[in-house]
Amino acid sequence: MRWLAGLHADPASCLEAWISARLVPVPIRAFAVIRVSAGLGLQALDILGCSRRPGPVLYSVHRGTAEFLVTAQPVDLPGTLGELLKEGVLECPAPGRSTQLADGLPPTRGPAQEPSARWVVAPDGSGFLWPAAEVVKAMGYAYSAAARTPDSENQPPRSARLSSLAPFFAATRTARP
């Protein structure tokens, strides 16, 4: 928590907000964010697999997006894959707040008036981030796989390795409508 709170202008108020279960706008400056659809993000996370140390991934319920915290190195992200954020803020819950993904898929979007976010892979406190180039490469593979799936608009592609991500999902359940 301290690593992420330390990026905020007022770390003490940030920690206090998290104790009260509120989202906190954390400035994007020591890292960049790759924002993609939740389905594509989950597939990319699956492709990245457990072969390496995982970096933080946030699921934005009201946007229906996955947000990978990546190194701030220059990277070319095609617009078809998502958006690269190098500035602004990221609305973050406390790093220990995670969600379990039912059937390997994120819960459906909540009402627009209820912005919510959950960690799929919470920051581990070390400041470790995904290498941006690796995430973009995994997203390219996931996007290609989705393009080959007949019903890819309505159902994100899935692989048999989703169970390999189980250690990174917390036991907290989020209701699905």
Side-chain angles (χ1 to χ4, degrees), residues 52-73:
R52 64 177 288 93
R53 180 179 181 182
V57 180
L58 189 64
Y59 169 58
S60 176
V61 177
H62 69 286
R63 280 192 200 99
T65 58
E67 297 160 340
F68 288 75
L69 278 65
V70 299
T71 56
Q73 298 168 342

Side-chain angles (χ1 to χ4, degrees), residues 130-167:
W130 290 102
E134 286 184 29
V135 172
V136 170
K137 185 176 180 180
M139 287 182 187
Y141 288 136
Y143 185 80
S144 294
R148 291 188 304 269
T149 304
D151 193 21
S152 62
E153 281 189 359
N154 299 321
Q155 181 75 23
R158 299 185 53 209
S159 87
R161 295 184 330 197
L162 284 175
S163 62
S164 67
L165 295 173

Side-chain angles (χ1 to χ4, degrees), residues 28-34 68-75 84-87 127 129-133:
I28 299 170
R29 59 174 171 237
F31 58 90
V33 174
I34 295 178
F68 288 75
L69 278 65
V70 299
T71 56
Q73 298 168 342
V75 66
L84 178 65
L85 307 172
K86 295 181 182 178
E87 56 186 38
L129 302 169
W130 290 102

